[in-house]
Amino acid sequence: MSAGAGTPVALEELTPRQIVAELDRHVVGQAAAKRAVAIALRNRWRRQRLPPEVAEEILPKNILMIGPTGVGKTEIARRLAKLARAPFVKVEASKFTEVGYVGRDCEAMVRDLMEMAVAMVREERRVAVRPKAAARAEERLLALLLPPTPAPGAVTTSAPVAEEPSATREKLRERLRSGSLDDRPVEIEVDDRSGPSLEMIGPQGIEEVGINLKEMIPGFFGRKSRIRVTVAEARELLEQEEADALIDRQQVARDARHRVEQAGIIFLDEIDKIAGRERGHGPDVSREGVQRDLLPIVEGTTVATKHGPVRTDHILFIAAGAFHIAKPSDLIPELQGRFPIRVELEALGEAEFLRILVEPEASLTRQYTALLSTEGVTLRFTDGAIAALARLAVEVNAATENIGARRLATLLERLLEEISFAAPDMAGVELEIDEGYVSRALAGIAENQDLSRYVL
């Protein structure tokens, strides 16, 4: 997607089929949900290739994911945003409440998204100016290590004498670049970031005031402090300071705002918790109120942020919920209409658990193997152990609460508890986790439903 300044990296080469293939590397199954988000992402690229007057009229088709916990709803949305390099925030709908009740204002999610975009763009700009910032930081360090020789007054310095400081400076530069001076202490001046900040309590809670007070009262906020650090630490601090000085903050805000408006993704989790009509008492009082507060944001409105106004018309909203008590039809009709794409995610069974343990690039078995390798312990899981863990996860989910793939994390943590505890004393040991080990470590808990309800 490269339709203008501040837009995420071009995705011309990623067709919906390739986007699904990328998601398959991290999430097992759920083909329907992957296809839906892949089409939504591709449609953004298509829209930005249209004339502005046509593109303005094409709104994103928001997605409602329906499925039990732990089946991959959040992971699909998170991986999609990472793939698109788009600003992404995950919020729980249940933490928002109607204005007047305890909770956060619904517009806060857009402000959070804007902050995320500003951080992304600022980091990209830092990378772009890093060579120039490094050169300027190097000159400042050389000035600290070799202060300039004071003018000798009326005495005129001859050419040979003038060349000597320059030669010394170049030798010092070589030593600085080689790292031989990294441990030398040096005193530098840095911006004092502990200055006062100004916040304002409004109807929606505490918000930062969007005024550049540094420009209004420069002497009050421009204080410096001296700190003593090593040359290596000083180089890092000075490079960051120089990079920030080279970045146009207003341009960063403009690019971030463009990125949010054209490519932002908001993931609304637990939307089923705010479904349902009023009952006139208890927590249900604000459910419909939250939906009505969400509606204008999803429909398209302008939200004031400290970086400028942000339009939400083309932000992609992905909502998700288990809907095991409420139904999507319990949402107010206007909000239902704003989520035209509905996909149902399947509950996970033994076959899916087995694949989850071994197929994803960051599977749990790979994670634990890597963690214990830092202690010098070599861990191997047999096929029998993987199958036993998958079978046990299904049994425990059925007997207690079905938390989907998250059950695998609790089982593995319990399975490897003793090994993890003793690992510092087991350097050089090779361990094979087989089906028998899984049975011995977890059989007692799995058989006792009351115990597994609390432990697993």
Side-chain angles (χ1 to χ4, degrees):
M1 299 189 294
S2 57
T7 313
V9 156
L11 295 175
E12 291 90 340
E13 301 302 321
L14 284 179
T15 64
R17 195 182 306 279
Q18 291 170 322
I19 293 170
V20 170
E22 286 292 320
L23 294 174
D24 283 340
R25 295 168 53 200
H26 307 284
V27 183
V28 169
Q30 313 303 357
K34 289 175 182 174
R35 286 170 64 93
V37 297
I39 292 170
L41 189 60
R42 186 66 176 184
N43 278 343
R44 286 188 154 184
W45 176 83
R46 291 165 178 158
R47 186 181 72 83
Q48 293 182 15
R49 290 323 185 255
L50 295 173
E53 62 274 10
V54 178
E56 186 65 24
E57 298 300 321
I58 299 177
L59 301 178
K61 306 302 184 289
N62 298 322
I63 300 167
L64 178 62
M65 294 184 181
I66 304 166
T69 184
V71 296
K73 300 188 295 293
T74 305
E75 190 66 9
I76 287 173
R78 190 173 67 86
R79 293 290 178 181
L80 182 77
K82 192 173 183 181
L83 182 63
R85 294 195 178 181
F88 172 80
V89 292
K90 172 184 176 290
V91 295
E92 295 179 7
S94 55
K95 78 177 180 181
F96 295 105
T97 63
E98 187 179 8
V99 174
Y101 289 85
V102 178
R104 295 191 71 192
D105 167 31
C106 291
E107 291 184 349
M109 68 178 78
V110 181
R111 298 188 190 102
D112 292 343
L113 189 66
M114 185 62 189
E115 291 296 332
M116 178 66 67
V118 167
M120 288 175 66
V121 175
R122 186 185 292 124
E123 186 56 35
E124 290 170 8
R125 296 290 185 276
R126 280 177 179 163
V127 172
V129 302
R130 187 171 291 164
K132 189 173 182 180
R136 290 172 63 165
E138 184 180 86
E139 293 302 322
R140 288 178 63 181
L141 268 176
L142 287 171
L144 288 170
L145 294 168
L146 186 67
T149 306
V155 179
T156 304
T157 307
S158 60
V161 178
E163 290 176 359
E164 186 176 348
S166 176
T168 305
R169 187 180 180 87
E170 291 307 311
K171 288 180 181 178
L172 196 62
R173 189 190 304 276
E174 291 177 8
R175 293 182 63 193
L176 186 63
R177 290 178 177 176
S178 68
S180 59
L181 300 177
D182 282 357
D183 295 328
R184 178 182 291 190
V186 66
E187 195 173 79
I188 63 171
E189 273 192 351
V190 294
D191 290 329
D192 187 358
R193 300 181 182 273
S194 61
S197 60
L198 186 62
E199 294 180 335
M200 178 175 65
I201 300 178
Q204 290 82 31
I206 298 176
E207 298 293 345
E208 294 185 34
V209 178
I211 302 173
N212 194 340
L213 292 175
K214 289 187 178 181
E215 293 181 1
M216 294 174 60
I217 324 173
F220 189 59
F221 288 92
R223 293 181 297 182
K224 296 273 189 179
S225 62
R226 299 187 68 84
I227 58 173
R228 193 169 181 82
V229 293
T230 64
V231 167
E233 293 169 334
R235 182 191 288 113
E236 185 177 341
L237 290 170
L238 292 176
E239 282 184 8
Q240 184 174 343
E241 191 174 301
E242 291 295 337
D244 288 341
L246 289 166
I247 293 171
D248 184 342
R249 295 184 181 181
Q250 292 184 347
Q251 186 61 44
V252 166
R254 285 194 294 270
D255 290 349
R257 192 160 61 246
H258 182 274
R259 187 171 296 192
V260 165
E261 292 179 342
Q262 302 301 322
I265 299 175
I266 293 180
F267 183 78
L268 279 169
D269 202 7
E270 295 186 359
I271 198 167
D272 56 319
K273 300 295 192 301
I274 62 167
R277 298 293 181 175
E278 311 289 9
R279 297 180 190 174
H281 64 277
D284 298 312
V285 173
S286 65
R287 284 186 180 181
E288 189 171 332
V290 177
Q291 295 181 57
R292 296 201 177 279
D293 283 350
L294 280 173
L295 184 59
I297 298 174
V298 180
E299 283 182 331
T301 188
T302 300
V303 176
T305 75
K306 68 178 183 179
H307 302 288
V310 174
R311 289 180 56 197
T312 66
D313 302 66
H314 297 286
I315 292 176
L316 176 65
F317 289 87
I318 302 176
F323 288 100
H324 58 280
I325 297 176
K327 303 184 295 295
S329 57
D330 290 331
L331 295 167
I332 59 175
E334 299 92 334
L335 194 58
Q336 289 182 52
R338 288 297 169 177
F339 289 90
I341 310 299
R342 297 186 183 182
V343 289
E344 190 168 347
L345 285 82
E346 303 167 357
L348 302 176
E350 186 175 334
E352 288 77 22
F353 284 150
L354 198 147
R355 293 176 59 197
I356 288 169
L357 284 168
V358 294
E359 286 187 14
E361 292 184 357
S363 66
L364 285 171
T365 52
R366 288 194 177 101
Q367 291 179 30
Y368 278 98
T369 301
L371 282 172
L372 290 171
S373 69
T374 62
E375 304 274 11
V377 178
T378 303
L379 199 63
R380 282 193 299 272
F381 291 86
T382 67
D383 292 342
I386 299 293
L389 281 167
R391 184 170 58 252
L392 199 55
V394 173
E395 293 174 2
V396 177
N397 273 346
T400 58
E401 185 75 21
N402 187 354
I403 60 172
R406 294 187 178 93
R407 183 67 66 189
L408 294 171
T410 61
L411 286 172
L412 271 166
E413 189 65 29
R414 186 70 179 178
L415 176 71
L416 300 174
E417 183 179 26
E418 288 297 327
I419 296 173
S420 296
F421 185 82
D425 304 319
M426 298 170 64
V429 175
E430 294 186 10
L431 292 173
E432 184 177 83
I433 307 297
D434 56 15
E435 187 174 357
Y437 185 90
V438 174
S439 299
R440 289 192 300 274
L442 300 176
I445 295 175
E447 289 171 2
N448 188 334
Q449 291 190 14
D450 289 333
L451 185 58
S452 63
R453 190 178 299 276
Y454 291 103
V455 177
L456 298 179

